[in-house]
């Protein structure tokens, strides 16, 4: 295959598993523009997006499970996740806007930036939904004339924490913050 498809990794959308597929090039957590600058315009670009509420919960699980890597952020949630997830979510709006102040490292900021911010306004050649990942990867591999077998995709990084229950109010808070993702990727 002359030009492999380029995978842009949106955090917490299955990317750690997808990157292991040999028939694609990996752009990392790049923006669409950064990936284009690196790989050129004549490529098939794709990314996986996920429902913002599920993605956000998964991001917070990563922070909780990797305490040592997120010391400043963890100070705010260490004692309340997952048992008081609702409390955490209801107080997160105040630090989302000041996230750069709380966490300086760009690699940590990417956890909660919106999918639209990373990928742009639907400028990708193809966007696959996490909720239909296998079907999406079959399509990408067919377009790329590559072989994809679902058994090649191992689910890495699967959470071991109980899924938190969130109220309608909390769900709305997350959906409002990620309203562009909700609209752009059809989650409304």
């Amino acid at each position: 295959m002359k030009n492999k498809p380029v995978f842009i990794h949106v955090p917490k959308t299955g990317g750690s598993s997808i990157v292991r597929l040999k028939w694609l090039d990996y752009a990392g957590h790049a923006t669409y523009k950064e990936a284009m600058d690196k790989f050129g315009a004549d490529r098939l670009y794709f990314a996986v997006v996920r429902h913002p509420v599920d993605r956000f919960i998964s991001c917070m699980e990563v922070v909780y499970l990797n305490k040592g890597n997120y010391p400043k952020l963890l100070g705010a949630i260490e004692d309340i996740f997952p048992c008081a997830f609702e409390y955490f979510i209801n107080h997160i709006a105040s630090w989302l806007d000041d996230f750069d102040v709380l966490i300086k490292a760009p690699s940590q900021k990417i956890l909660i930036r919106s999918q639209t911010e990373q990928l742009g306004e639907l400028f990708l050649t193809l966007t696959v939904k996490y909720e239909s990942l296998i079907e999406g990867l079959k399509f990408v591999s067919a377009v790329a004339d590559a072989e994809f077998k679902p058994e090649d995709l191992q689910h890495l990084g699967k959470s071991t924490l109980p899924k938190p229950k969130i109220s309608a109010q909390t769900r709305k808070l997350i959906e409002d913050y990620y309203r562009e993702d909700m609209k752009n990727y059809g989650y409304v």
Side-chain angles (χ1 to χ4, degrees), residues 91-109:
H91 290 83
I92 198 165
S94 64
W95 64 261
L96 281 174
D97 292 331
D98 295 324
F99 194 71
D100 286 326
V101 173
L102 290 171
I103 297 177
K104 300 288 186 188
S107 63
Q108 294 177 0
K109 182 182 181 201

Side-chain angles (χ1 to χ4, degrees), residues 62-99:
V62 166
V63 170
Y64 179 76
L65 293 171
N66 294 285
K67 301 175 196 187
N69 297 327
Y70 302 93
K72 292 181 182 180
L73 179 58
L74 192 63
I77 66 168
E78 190 169 34
D79 296 325
I80 57 175
F81 185 84
C83 61
F85 185 75
E86 192 91 8
Y87 174 85
F88 172 67
I89 292 296
N90 288 326
H91 290 83
I92 198 165
S94 64
W95 64 261
L96 281 174
D97 292 331
D98 295 324
F99 194 71

Side-chain angles (χ1 to χ4, degrees), residues 4-129:
K4 296 178 181 180
V6 178
F7 171 59
I8 299 173
H9 185 177
V10 175
K12 304 316 296 165
T13 60
S16 296
S17 299
I18 295 167
V19 72
R20 296 176 186 282
L21 300 173
K22 304 291 185 216
W23 49 267
L24 55 82
D25 282 333
Y26 181 57
H29 294 120
T31 63
Y32 177 60
K33 182 184 179 326
E34 291 166 344
M36 290 267 296
D37 290 346
K38 180 177 180 180
F39 292 99
D42 192 22
R43 300 293 291 272
L44 170 69
Y45 288 87
F46 80 100
V48 177
V49 295
R50 186 175 184 180
H51 191 288
V53 173
D54 295 334
R55 181 174 168 262
F56 186 83
I57 289 170
S58 185
C59 287
M60 294 304 99
E61 289 173 348
V62 166
V63 170
Y64 179 76
L65 293 171
N66 294 285
K67 301 175 196 187
N69 297 327
Y70 302 93
K72 292 181 182 180
L73 179 58
L74 192 63
I77 66 168
E78 190 169 34
D79 296 325
I80 57 175
F81 185 84
C83 61
F85 185 75
E86 192 91 8
Y87 174 85
F88 172 67
I89 292 296
N90 288 326
H91 290 83
I92 198 165
S94 64
W95 64 261
L96 281 174
D97 292 331
D98 295 324
F99 194 71
D100 286 326
V101 173
L102 290 171
I103 297 177
K104 300 288 186 188
S107 63
Q108 294 177 0
K109 182 182 181 201
I110 62 168
L111 273 177
I112 65 163
R113 74 176 167 192
S114 76
Q115 295 165 112
T116 298
E117 180 184 347
Q118 181 174 356
L119 302 176
E121 297 270 341
L122 305 173
F123 294 126
L124 287 177
T125 311
L126 179 63
T127 303
V128 172
K129 286 190 173 181

